[in-house]
Amino acid sequence: MTRTPTEVRAILKEEKARFLRLIFSDIHGIAKNVEIPDTQFDKALAGEIMFDGSSIEGFVRIQESDMLLQPDLGSLRIFPHDGGDRIAMLICDVATPDGKPFVGDPRGVLRRVTGKAGELGYTAMMGPEAEFFLFQRHNGAPSTETHDRGAYFDLAPVDRGEEARRDIVNVLEKMGFEVEAAHHEVAPGQHEIDFKYADALTTADNILIFRHIVKKIALKHDLHATFMPKPLYGVNGSGMHTHQSLFDRSGKNVFDAPREPYGLSRLCLAYIGGILAHAKGFCAITNPTVNSYKRLVPGYEAPTNIAWSERNRSPLARVPDRRGTGTRVEVRMPDPACNPYLAFAAMLAAGLDGIEQERDPGPPVNQDIFHLSEREKKKLKIENLPPDLYGAVRALQKDELVLATLGPHISEQLIAAKLADWQEYISIVHPWEVERYLIKH
């Protein structure tokens, strides 16, 4: 949706908005914002609000700190009225003082890749399934104690997070989200809320807002919401399966081909081939934390195998049964801790590379890969994702396409941050080690 400054001013006036939040993302996908009063609305809509970029991790050094916020006027949303001052929000691109796009802006990275898709004649559509946990708070501090012992699709009174989940849905809908489903997930305290797919940039914006709303409403219920991939041992972790498709300028889904094998176009198969070819390379982007790899282990439904399937959920990518407009590829490896702009950009770039290189994904693997031996997987040429963050970073450093997609600035900053996390993690003595070895050795 596009809007003019005049249209935005009219909406802000009609809604009696007192404050405007200018929201952007750091390189890790953490939402940042500058909040301004109504006296500064005109300045904000003109893209003249500045902030200190040196205070944002991965942005710039202190001697080159000034940054401009350029709002995407089509992203305007009004927070539901809760008794205080009305607050509106706009998602922003980050620019340098001379008005040029800042190379370290994650949203700008996704803009470039969707722009390339547009040059090829495609609009990239993304639909995420973002899972999260709700934990109890004790004396104001979050815990890892779940609020229920519920399981997949359970109903109250077993699912005591139902009220919080319903309130989250209510707020999302008031802010313009089309929520398609909300339910309890497999693990105790685990939930999923699905909203309708949209173009890649809009969907990434929506994830940023979604995570904020989930945490805010959970807090009102004295619960702590977390998108940490694996907060509990012994149960499923949280994923962010991402459904992907390409539409041409006439509005046709170009993945759909009823007369072709599997009902999929050659273009769709090549897109899958690109995803599989670069999965190791973008794993550090879609699964960005040390904790991400506690989820990516066999036995908990998370995909660790680089393969694709028509229905089977054990490979990294699958094609759901629906055809026609709904034909799509579901990439199951991302987790909700990722930066959605960078994750979408990396996956889309991989898929487009598959199309350009006419990559063959091979036949679908419709067996349960979780129960195949290593010998059987080797025979089927099924490789595994990196086992940890360090392996993922090393794979990223070797993938020229993903590095080029991120650009030198973000690549360098991101790799340095991930390696620092890994170095700190491996140097810490964890409770498991003390319990296992203190008496034994």
Side-chain angles (χ1 to χ4, degrees):
M1 179 188 300
T2 58
R3 290 192 179 102
T4 65
T6 300
E7 290 172 330
V8 171
R9 284 191 204 95
I11 295 171
L12 294 173
K13 184 177 180 180
E14 181 182 353
E15 295 289 342
K16 299 180 180 178
R18 170 72 176 102
F19 293 96
L20 179 62
R21 288 180 180 170
L22 303 175
I23 298 175
F24 60 102
S25 166
D26 71 5
I27 63 170
H28 301 298
I30 306 301
K32 306 292 182 179
N33 86 103
V34 174
E35 185 170 285
I36 61 170
D38 51 11
T39 56
Q40 300 299 306
F41 284 0
D42 286 346
K43 188 176 179 182
L45 298 182
E48 297 174 358
I49 299 296
M50 301 195 81
F51 72 99
D52 180 6
S54 67
S55 300
I56 307 298
E57 186 175 357
F59 269 32
V60 291
R61 297 165 296 181
I62 194 165
Q63 65 266 33
E64 48 190 26
S65 60
D66 289 338
M67 291 279 136
L68 281 171
L69 291 174
Q70 297 184 331
D72 183 335
L73 302 184
S75 70
L76 179 69
R77 295 178 191 266
I78 311 294
F79 287 96
H81 193 258
D82 60 2
D85 290 317
R86 296 304 305 273
I87 300 173
M89 55 142 289
L90 284 167
I91 302 290
C92 296
D93 294 301
V94 181
T96 56
D98 59 4
K100 294 180 180 178
F102 171 48
V103 293
D105 179 19
R107 196 170 191 261
V109 172
L110 183 54
R111 271 195 186 280
R112 290 197 298 272
V113 183
T114 56
K116 179 181 178 180
E119 290 171 2
L120 296 173
Y122 307 125
T123 297
M125 310 299 281
M126 299 281 180
E129 299 176 8
E131 298 169 344
F132 57 93
F133 278 85
L134 292 176
F135 291 123
Q136 293 190 33
R137 299 172 64 86
H138 299 300
N139 298 319
S143 73
T144 54
E145 183 179 338
T146 61
H147 60 86
D148 65 56
R149 301 304 301 174
Y152 199 49
F153 285 113
D154 271 352
L155 183 67
V158 178
D159 175 9
R160 295 192 301 169
E162 184 183 78
E163 288 187 12
R165 199 171 63 225
R166 186 185 297 122
D167 284 352
I168 291 168
V169 170
N170 285 336
V171 171
L172 289 172
E173 289 186 332
K174 288 177 182 177
M175 294 186 70
F177 282 73
E178 184 176 338
V179 177
E180 296 186 323
H183 60 84
H184 199 289
E185 259 294 340
V186 174
Q190 189 182 34
H191 302 265
E192 178 179 311
I193 297 174
D194 302 330
F195 48 88
K196 189 174 182 178
Y197 70 90
D199 68 272
L201 192 66
T202 298
T203 301
D205 290 342
N206 285 343
I207 291 172
L208 216 63
I209 302 166
F210 171 79
R211 293 193 298 210
H212 171 71
I213 296 301
V214 169
K215 287 179 173 289
K216 181 179 176 66
I217 302 305
L219 193 59
K220 288 187 175 182
H221 287 262
D222 200 27
L223 295 170
H224 175 72
T226 181
F227 292 92
M228 180 180 179
K230 185 82 169 184
L232 297 175
Y233 168 73
V235 299
N236 286 16
S238 290
M240 193 181 78
H241 305 160
T242 304
H243 298 256
Q244 308 177 30
S245 54
L246 297 178
F247 285 70
D248 65 18
R249 292 190 177 98
S250 71
K252 181 184 183 299
N253 185 335
V254 297
F255 282 2
D256 185 55
R259 297 182 182 179
E260 295 290 334
Y262 322 118
L264 304 175
S265 67
R266 294 182 182 179
L267 187 144
C268 178
L269 293 175
Y271 188 97
I272 295 171
I275 292 290
L276 301 185
H278 294 285
K280 291 181 181 179
F282 63 65
C283 195
I285 311 301
T286 55
N287 304 81
T289 71
V290 166
N291 181 256
S292 296
Y293 299 85
K294 303 296 178 71
R295 168 183 169 255
L296 293 177
V297 294
Y300 295 99
E301 298 186 11
T304 58
N305 306 287
I306 303 176
W308 78 282
S309 168
E310 294 177 86
R311 300 176 184 85
N312 184 4
R313 283 175 164 79
S314 58
L316 182 149
R318 79 176 188 105
V319 178
D321 279 337
R322 190 178 176 188
R323 293 295 182 267
T325 302
T327 305
R328 61 195 185 274
V329 177
E330 177 191 5
V331 182
R332 298 175 58 80
M333 63 188 281
D335 66 51
C338 72
N339 182 323
Y341 299 108
L342 299 184
F344 288 0
M347 289 188 287
L348 177 56
L352 294 177
D353 175 72
I355 292 171
E356 291 180 323
Q357 302 299 323
E358 298 182 346
R359 295 186 183 273
D360 180 5
V365 180
N366 292 323
Q367 303 159 264
D368 185 351
I369 303 178
F370 292 142
H371 293 97
L372 294 180
S373 66
E374 288 301 318
R375 183 177 180 180
E376 290 171 316
K377 288 199 290 185
K378 188 174 182 179
K379 187 176 180 181
L380 292 170
K381 298 181 180 180
I382 299 173
E383 297 184 43
N384 295 323
L385 290 173
D388 52 44
L389 182 61
Y390 181 78
V393 171
R394 289 307 186 205
L396 168 61
Q397 291 175 314
K398 296 176 183 177
D399 195 310
E400 294 182 2
L401 175 83
V402 180
L403 291 174
T405 299
L406 299 178
H409 180 98
I410 288 183
S411 293
E412 292 170 11
Q413 296 288 336
L414 208 59
I415 288 170
K418 300 307 174 192
L419 290 178
D421 279 358
W422 178 254
Q423 192 60 44
E424 183 178 348
Y425 173 72
I426 62 174
S427 67
I428 292 173
V429 178
H430 299 274
W432 182 91
E433 299 172 80
V434 175
E435 183 179 340
R436 179 63 63 96
Y437 304 124
L438 186 64
I439 297 175
K440 184 182 293 186
H441 296 284

